[in-house]
Amino acid sequence: VRSRRQRQMCIRDRCRTELLSPLNNWQLSWSNSRLKGLSSELLSFLFTMLHRTLPTRERLHRTKQAEAAVCLHCGSGEVDSYRHALATCSKSEPVFIWMFERLSLYCSDVTVDKILHLELTPDTPLLHGCLPLVWFAGHTLQRIWSRRKNGKQCHLYEIKSDMEAQLAIVRRSKFSDICDILDIFMSV
């Protein structure tokens, strides 16, 4: 049984993101966000996404850098949270659904929150563990965010083209054996 002081220390050791989503398996999330085989650019994006520090309208409004927190991309009047920006905005949702459907081929209990928290575990063991799932989810989310940040539409064909270029780099690396799974994701 923990004392009150031990419980307070435990809470203090957790970051704001962990406190906002206490039911998430953060050990898995942090582990997945630092997998060998992910580029430094992707690692940086995943760190920012997991800490919810992407400059969404909600965050900019909270830090007094924007007048309103509503999404400017879809016109729905919804708050532009990181969840809205990456998953539920009508401008990014088709790409997110495409990614979701492919991840569910190997991870049957996948949810929007599990993807956004990188809480991805394959149903059956894969070579290199979670790497193909995290690589695919991370690159898709990074491309969605990049398009939004630059004021561009999220077109699936452009995102797939960008990811194919990244996949070509993986094919020449020591992690080339994950390409079999990534090819399935890209072709289905």
Side-chain angles (χ1 to χ4, degrees):
V1 177
R2 290 182 176 176
S3 69
R4 182 177 179 191
R5 175 141 172 79
Q6 286 173 321
R7 285 192 306 272
Q8 287 174 337
M9 290 298 288
C10 182
I11 289 173
R12 261 190 241 135
D13 291 342
R14 297 171 67 190
C15 70
R16 178 179 178 268
T17 303
E18 292 175 321
L19 296 173
L20 290 172
S21 301
L23 301 178
N24 185 51
N25 179 348
W26 284 106
Q27 186 174 359
L28 177 61
S29 296
W30 298 129
S31 174
N32 281 348
S33 73
R34 296 186 308 268
L35 290 170
K36 289 188 185 319
L38 301 176
S39 68
S40 58
E41 182 183 354
L42 184 57
L43 291 170
S44 178
F45 170 77
L46 295 176
F47 180 88
T48 305
M49 181 186 77
L50 285 176
H51 280 89
R52 297 185 189 183
T53 56
L54 292 171
T56 60
R57 296 288 297 176
E58 177 186 46
R59 180 169 170 72
L60 294 174
H61 178 68
R62 192 173 62 243
T63 58
K64 310 227 183 300
Q65 297 176 50
E67 285 188 32
V70 297
C71 178
L72 300 177
H73 295 275
C74 66
S76 68
E78 293 220 20
V79 171
D80 188 34
S81 65
Y82 87 108
R83 188 179 207 279
H84 175 78
L86 296 172
T88 62
C89 177
S90 63
K91 300 297 182 180
S92 51
E93 188 177 40
V95 175
F96 189 88
I97 290 171
W98 171 79
M99 172 188 58
F100 185 96
E101 289 171 350
R102 274 125 193 94
L103 288 172
S104 66
L105 296 172
Y106 289 90
C107 185
S108 60
D109 66 342
V110 73
T111 65
V112 171
D113 288 328
K114 283 186 176 189
I115 292 171
L116 295 177
H117 291 135
L118 297 181
E119 197 176 357
L120 301 170
T121 51
D123 295 333
T124 58
L126 299 173
L127 192 61
H128 296 295
C130 301
L131 180 59
L133 304 176
V134 174
W135 189 98
F136 182 73
H139 277 282
T140 305
L141 294 169
Q142 184 183 35
R143 296 301 180 281
I144 290 171
W145 178 253
S146 177
R147 294 266 187 279
R148 288 179 66 89
K149 182 178 73 173
N150 295 322
K152 296 180 180 176
Q153 291 279 29
C154 288
H155 295 294
L156 182 58
Y157 68 91
E158 290 176 337
I159 288 177
K160 284 177 74 172
S161 176
D162 289 349
M163 290 174 66
E164 287 287 352
Q166 290 298 312
L167 196 52
I169 295 168
V170 174
R171 286 186 204 291
R172 294 187 307 270
S173 76
K174 67 180 181 179
F175 298 99
S176 61
D177 38 7
I178 70 168
C179 291
D180 293 339
I181 294 169
L182 296 175
D183 285 336
I184 291 169
F185 286 155
M186 298 299 284
S187 66
V188 176

